[in-house]
Amino acid sequence: MSQTVEVKPPPARDERIARRSPVARLLTRPEVGALLGAIVIYIVFFVVAPPFREPSSLSSVLYVSSTYGIPAVAVALLMIGGEFDLSAGVAVTSSALVASMFSYQFTANMWVGVVVSLVVALAIGFINGYLVVKTGIPSFLVTLGTFFMLRGLNLALTKQITGNVGTNDVSNIQGFASAQKVFASTFNIGGVSIRITLLWWILFVIIATWVLLRTHFGNWIFAVGGSAPSSRAVGVPVNKVKIGLFMAVGFMAWFTGMHILFAFNTVQSGIGIGNEFIYIVAAVVGGCLLTGGYGSVIGAAIGAFIFGMANQGIVYAGWNPDWFYFFLGALLLGAILLNNLVRKRAEAMR
Amino acid sequence: MTVSVEEPTTAAPLVRLTDAGKNYGNILALQGVTLEVSGGEVTCVLGDNGAGKSTLIKIIAGLHQHSEGTYEVEGQPVRFTSPREALNHGIATVYQDLAVVPLMPVWRNFFLGNEVRKGPRMDIAFMRGTTKKELLDMGIDLRDVDQPIGTLSGGERQCVAISRAVYFGAKVLILDEPTAALGVKQSGVVLKYILQARERGLGVVFITHNPHHAYPVGDRFLLLKRGRVLGYYRKNEVTRDELTGLMAGGTELEELSHELEATGGAAAAAAHVLEEEVHELGIGHGAPGAQ
Ligand SMILES: Nc1ncnc2c1ncn2[C@@H]1O[C@H](COP(=O)(O)OP(=O)(O)O)[C@@H](O)[C@H]1O
Ligand SMILES: [Mg+2]
């Protein structure tokens, strides 16, 4: 898994540091719990489910992981910044619906619909963020509200405009082919077909990790999540950072929506509900603290990979898929407990 | 980037309040306060809870505006609308609770809001090194500037916040009850840094409700009570009894003096004053009335 490669800070020059073992240092990373969990789950499925060992299976696990992992990149940043977004799952659907219906109804080039959809998705993020910072109401409640509103809008507007619960097929619209190349193409590496979302996912994880650890904006994300009043006191533009993070979630929701649209040509207006929790689960399993100020994008990527493995592995193992959500819940609890333990040990070692 | 403040001999004081007052609606939180802060001087603001100490420093720090009187910085009348504006005039505030983000590494906290950039990214090596060096200059030898600042002791955290303000060019340092939540030993450490900031030529406004902490380090004392000025003294104008009248007992005072003495330099001189005081007041350990 290439996204576990991490940028290590250069060691400080102090002879007392040397006494801290590399293991101790590694254990202070937020994503350690998730990494251990991923290895264990991989081994379990590798042993119990022979089809899981096929390269094509890994490819489809990674594909499923990427469709959840892409929004989880921004959801993790938002959680580190101290906020939630429960509307992210249905915002994915809204984005796909807007692009599809805009281009179809106005017989516009597909790319026009794609851009209009981006503007709408960023606006949803902005409204979420603006309401949270201006009212001071917890983002859990604000985005619960926008979640229901978007869910209603998705169904109502789609039915109003198309007369149907889904959108019309857009594959004949000009620009569809090129947009499909960008958002939903497949290519072969050594006989294994790889979905392009995997590459986008890796790219987003690298960019987000770089921003988080290497730029002043990343410093501000940790700070506003760790203590908004302290950040404000030293001049960090707390409201702008938070609104920006909600808009980043909007962006990733848009991107995922575009993938769904160009992978399936039509969009069902009722999909996406519940996915917001999967993004949050991925972030939490990956070591993000619910209270903000701590976490990692690489961790969230590992979290999404665990989700993808479980999702597909159960099928390969021939288990009853009804157990999937039970398994997911148990995994979440286990991850939270493990992360807690790891963090406490890390603190004690310092 | 560290500023060297020249001794302002004839120049206007860094901060001057004249008859300043503040009301929150119909609550008169502060009335008729006159105060001067010069470089190389520690002004202690003393008073019980609700006396108006926080209100006073919020005016100086730019969080609130005064509703009466005048506020001048280096002779220029000002009316700050944000802490940023005050900061740009060299007035930095270290709040007791608002000083740092506990989960973040020390160096990230040190440069928070003032990150040094190298193109689009931060110059992390420079920031790490500078944090370590600046803290060393203040006498804090941290094993690892990557440790979360929350793992430092309360006193060390205050000191990081103080050296951060000094590094970013503060001329006036406002400390809101930096010792309130600390034990005697940790308080001694913070008092040492207050003296160090003074020696560097900064004007320090030290808020406390504890005269034991104020007397050894202060050059001027402003006593507030229920929003009014109870007294404003230079060190040579105030009798110890007047300040120590508010004291609870001598045991803590003695311990404090030992702490200061151990650190040497100006701190030891302060410790000497403290000891004399304990002796003269007859409130030392085991003395009648010691409580
Ligand atoms: N934002 C505010 N609104 C109304 N009253 C306030 C406010 N802040 C402080 N006060 C009142 O002003 C008085 C002085 O408070 P404060 O400056 O916080 O005192 P201190 O810091 O000395 O304990 C108190 O009576 C307090 O209740
Ligand atoms: Mg106060």
Side-chain angles (χ1 to χ4, degrees), chain B residues 48-55 57-58 96 176-177 207 209:
Chain B
D48 267 335
N49 287 330
K53 305 184 297 293
S54 294
T55 303
I57 63 151
K58 279 174 184 164
Q96 195 191 327
D176 188 10
E177 308 224 18
I207 286 70
H209 58 250

Side-chain angles (χ1 to χ4, degrees), chain A:
Chain A
M1 242 187 26
S2 51
Q3 61 268 37
T4 58
V5 178
E6 67 155 282
V7 226
K8 269 262 155 147
R13 285 169 297 277
D14 187 322
E15 71 290 348
R16 285 166 299 178
I17 303 297
R19 277 184 227 144
R20 238 172 90 196
S21 72
V23 175
R25 191 169 258 287
L26 184 72
L27 282 179
T28 64
R29 302 287 322 164
E31 54 276 83
V32 171
L35 185 61
L36 296 178
I39 292 169
V40 169
I41 291 166
Y42 186 85
I43 291 171
V44 167
F45 281 121
F46 196 91
V47 170
V48 303
F52 188 80
R53 299 167 205 167
E54 305 290 328
S56 66
S57 302
L58 181 62
S59 163
S60 71
V61 164
L62 286 172
Y63 168 59
V64 171
S65 306
S66 70
T67 59
Y68 292 95
I70 288 171
V73 166
V75 167
L77 291 180
L78 181 69
M79 276 184 83
I80 296 169
E83 305 292 345
F84 286 100
D85 189 350
L86 294 181
S87 72
V90 285
V92 168
T93 312
S94 305
S95 306
L97 291 171
V98 166
S100 168
M101 291 194 292
F102 187 92
S103 290
Y104 191 89
Q105 297 301 322
F106 295 98
T107 50
N109 186 294
M110 200 62 242
W111 283 101
V112 179
V114 168
V115 171
V116 169
S117 166
L118 174 60
V119 173
V120 170
L122 292 177
I124 292 170
F126 178 83
I127 291 167
N128 277 334
Y130 187 82
L131 287 176
V132 167
V133 299
K134 287 298 163 187
T135 62
I137 295 168
S139 52
F140 182 86
L141 293 177
V142 169
T143 60
L144 188 63
T146 50
F147 159 75
F148 280 117
M149 287 166 73
L150 285 179
R151 184 178 168 177
L153 277 176
N154 286 353
L155 295 172
L157 286 183
T158 306
K159 195 166 266 174
Q160 188 105 48
I161 292 169
T162 68
N164 218 320
V165 290
T167 61
N168 302 78
D169 190 324
V170 289
S171 55
N172 291 323
I173 292 180
Q174 214 183 18
F176 181 89
S178 60
Q180 192 178 42
K181 276 217 169 56
V182 172
F183 294 107
S185 57
T186 305
F187 54 92
N188 266 282
I189 293 179
V192 182
S193 74
I194 306 273
R195 304 296 294 260
I196 196 167
T197 48
L198 176 59
L199 299 188
W200 283 115
W201 183 31
I202 293 170
L203 181 72
F204 290 142
V205 169
I206 290 172
I207 293 172
T209 299
W210 181 79
V211 167
L212 191 60
L213 298 180
R214 288 283 174 268
T215 72
H216 69 281
F217 190 74
N219 217 32
W220 295 354
I221 294 173
F222 279 116
V224 300
S227 170
S230 295
S231 309
R232 206 167 268 128
V234 296
V236 174
V238 174
N239 291 356
K240 281 183 192 163
V241 172
K242 292 205 169 188
I243 291 173
L245 290 173
F246 276 104
M247 290 175 76
V249 174
F251 177 86
M252 292 301 187
W254 165 80
F255 191 94
T256 311
M258 292 309 95
H259 170 71
I260 287 168
L261 172 60
F262 295 110
F264 301 105
N265 308 351
T266 68
V267 186
Q268 297 303 307
S269 57
I271 61 166
I273 296 160
N275 285 352
E276 60 281 350
F277 287 118
I278 310 237
Y279 310 149
I280 293 172
V281 166
V284 171
V285 167
C288 290
L289 266 189
L290 283 164
T291 44
Y294 189 85
S296 126
V297 175
I298 292 165
I302 300 172
F305 180 62
I306 289 177
F307 173 84
M309 275 197 291
N311 186 298
Q312 298 294 292
I314 281 181
V315 179
Y316 294 128
W319 296 341
N320 184 346
D322 293 346
W323 286 95
F324 175 67
Y325 281 102
F326 175 83
F327 179 74
L328 189 68
L331 202 72
L332 177 65
L333 267 183
I336 292 168
L337 293 176
L338 185 65
N339 282 337
N340 232 1
L341 201 78
V342 165
R343 206 160 31 240
K344 283 209 180 101
R345 277 199 59 181
E347 296 292 294
M349 272 183 194
R350 287 179 182 278

Side-chain angles (χ1 to χ4, degrees), chain B residues 169-185:
Chain B
K171 294 184 221 163
V172 176
L173 194 57
I174 303 167
L175 306 168
D176 188 10
E177 308 224 18
T179 57
L182 304 180
V184 171
K185 189 179 162 69

Side-chain angles (χ1 to χ4, degrees), chain A residues 9-10 14 16-17 20 210 213-216 219-220 222-223 226-227 229-230 234-236 289 292-294 347 350, chain B residues 84 97-101 103-104 108 112-113 115 117 120-122 124 128 132 141-144 146-148 151 164:
Chain A
D14 187 322
R16 285 166 299 178
I17 303 297
R20 238 172 90 196
W210 181 79
L213 298 180
R214 288 283 174 268
T215 72
H216 69 281
N219 217 32
W220 295 354
F222 279 116
S227 170
S230 295
V234 296
V236 174
L289 266 189
Y294 189 85
E347 296 292 294
R350 287 179 182 278
Chain B
R84 228 331 118 188
D97 310 317
L98 298 186
V100 293
V101 183
L103 281 170
M104 285 173 78
R108 283 184 184 267
L112 185 58
E115 291 84 359
R117 298 182 205 172
R121 62 199 178 88
M122 300 189 291
I124 292 176
R128 273 214 184 86
K132 197 154 172 60
D141 186 12
L142 279 192
R143 191 183 62 160
D144 181 6
D146 264 305
Q147 72 194 95
T151 60
R164 171 172 73 177

Side-chain angles (χ1 to χ4, degrees), chain B residues 73-284:
Chain B
V73 173
E74 295 177 281
Q76 297 297 311
V78 291
R79 183 172 280 272
F80 296 138
T81 53
S82 75
R84 228 331 118 188
E85 219 182 315
L87 217 51
N88 292 341
H89 282 77
I91 296 164
T93 311
V94 175
Y95 298 96
Q96 195 191 327
D97 310 317
L98 298 186
V100 293
V101 183
L103 281 170
M104 285 173 78
V106 175
W107 70 267
R108 283 184 184 267
N109 267 291
F110 194 96
F111 281 93
L112 185 58
N114 293 294
E115 291 84 359
V116 178
R117 298 182 205 172
K118 202 196 225 174
R121 62 199 178 88
M122 300 189 291
D123 191 346
I124 292 176
F126 172 81
M127 291 195 279
R128 273 214 184 86
T130 306
T131 303
K132 197 154 172 60
K133 186 186 151 296
E134 287 299 312
L135 293 181
L136 258 178
D137 283 356
M138 287 292 252
I140 315 170
D141 186 12
L142 279 192
R143 191 183 62 160
D144 181 6
V145 290
D146 264 305
Q147 72 194 95
I149 202 163
T151 60
L152 302 185
S153 71
E156 284 175 320
R157 268 201 300 271
Q158 284 288 335
C159 297
V160 172
I162 292 171
S163 62
R164 171 172 73 177
V166 172
Y167 176 75
F168 286 107
K171 294 184 221 163
V172 176
L173 194 57
I174 303 167
L175 306 168
D176 188 10
E177 308 224 18
T179 57
L182 304 180
V184 171
K185 189 179 162 69
Q186 290 289 325
S187 296
V189 174
V190 171
L191 295 183
K192 193 178 90 180
Y193 294 121
I194 291 176
L195 291 171
Q196 231 162 65
R198 182 182 71 178
E199 265 155 44
R200 285 186 175 212
L202 275 82
V204 180
V205 181
F206 172 30
I207 286 70
T208 177
H209 58 250
N210 190 338
H212 303 187
H213 294 173
Y215 198 78
V217 298
D219 299 298
R220 295 177 189 240
F221 304 92
L222 177 71
L223 275 81
L224 294 178
K225 189 171 187 175
R226 298 168 66 87
R228 291 172 183 278
V229 177
L230 203 64
Y232 182 42
Y233 312 101
R234 287 175 185 281
K235 189 152 194 163
N236 56 13
E237 292 167 353
V238 68
T239 65
R240 284 170 193 164
D241 292 323
E242 273 172 304
L243 269 188
T244 51
L246 293 156
M247 287 181 184
T251 313
E252 194 193 0
L253 208 59
E254 277 187 336
E255 283 177 48
L256 195 63
S257 144
H258 293 321
E259 270 308 314
L260 277 169
E261 202 161 44
T263 60
H272 184 66
V273 172
L274 200 58
E275 229 162 49
E276 259 182 50
E277 181 184 342
V278 173
H279 180 72
E280 281 180 25
L281 289 169
I283 54 175

